[in-house]
Amino acid sequence: MAKQSTAQKKAQAEILPLAGGGSVTVENGAAEIRDAEGRVVVRYLEGRAEIEVPDGDLVLAAPRGKVSIRAGSDLELSAEGELRQRAGGEVSVVATRILHTASHLAQKAERIEVTATRLVERTRDAYREATGLLETRAGRARAVVDDIWSLLSRRTTMASKDDTSIDGKRVLLG
């Protein structure tokens, strides 16, 4: 009988049975946990770990603590179905840049506040409706309209502390 080399000994599988029919295997440098059907559910090899649940759900839980997921480079969450986030308190997102892409984006809130150095909006059509007051406060205001400007109201008041100019080919009053 020939003696086994160190490499051959390492290549041999070391199998530890688990209660319920699963097993832990160390083979060729990889550690694997298998379920009762022999499917790999956890695999660790050369600094990479994978957890896979062939049937059922994967739950990461810390009922009395915090769950942290950290990545040295990128973090990707993907789902074939819906992706939901819920919090009993505040949700905070801090990033250099945030990009949203959706065919439909709906927001519902009691109050929305936007604080920005510059706000740029681009759209083909914009509709804004307020059943109460719509107020704009600005240091200066300018509206540039290519075709028709129409203002319809029950009553209109325009007041200037200084001059008021109306410049047009014809000015129709009344």
Side-chain angles (χ1 to χ4, degrees):
M1 211 183 331
K3 282 190 164 182
Q4 289 183 335
S5 69
T6 308
Q8 287 173 324
K9 287 180 185 175
K10 277 188 174 178
Q12 282 185 334
E14 196 176 323
I15 301 172
L16 302 172
L18 295 174
S23 65
V24 175
T25 306
V26 177
E27 184 176 5
N28 295 325
E32 296 178 341
I33 299 176
R34 297 177 179 272
D35 64 10
E37 283 80 40
R39 299 174 294 192
V40 177
V41 292
V42 178
R43 179 172 169 67
Y44 179 81
L45 176 65
E46 297 176 359
R48 178 184 166 107
E50 293 180 31
I51 300 173
E52 183 176 323
V53 181
D55 298 313
D57 298 331
L58 172 64
V59 176
L60 302 175
R64 292 192 177 95
K66 175 174 87 170
V67 174
S68 294
I69 300 174
R70 294 189 182 99
S73 60
D74 298 340
L75 176 63
E76 180 179 323
L77 298 176
S78 63
E80 295 299 320
E82 294 183 15
L83 177 63
R84 290 184 284 284
Q85 295 177 330
R86 292 190 188 103
E90 185 176 288
V91 174
S92 175
V93 178
V94 178
T96 303
R97 187 172 178 183
I98 298 175
L99 304 172
H100 288 274
T101 303
S103 61
H104 181 96
L105 177 63
Q107 294 178 317
K108 184 177 181 180
E110 289 290 320
R111 179 182 175 127
I112 296 177
E113 293 185 27
V114 177
T115 303
T117 302
R118 175 171 289 174
L119 176 63
V120 177
E121 295 176 310
R122 289 186 178 92
T123 184
R124 189 187 69 200
D125 298 311
Y127 300 92
R128 190 170 273 171
E129 183 177 325
T131 57
L133 174 67
L134 175 61
E135 180 176 314
T136 300
R137 292 177 181 253
R140 297 179 305 136
R142 179 176 75 177
V144 179
V145 180
D146 288 337
D147 194 9
I148 296 171
W149 174 277
S150 179
L151 173 65
L152 305 171
S153 68
R154 186 178 55 82
R155 182 176 165 189
T156 304
T157 303
M158 185 166 54
S160 300
K161 289 185 179 178
D162 292 323
D163 297 344
T164 299
S165 299
I166 298 177
D167 184 7
K169 190 183 282 185
R170 293 180 351 165
V171 177
L172 306 172
L173 301 173

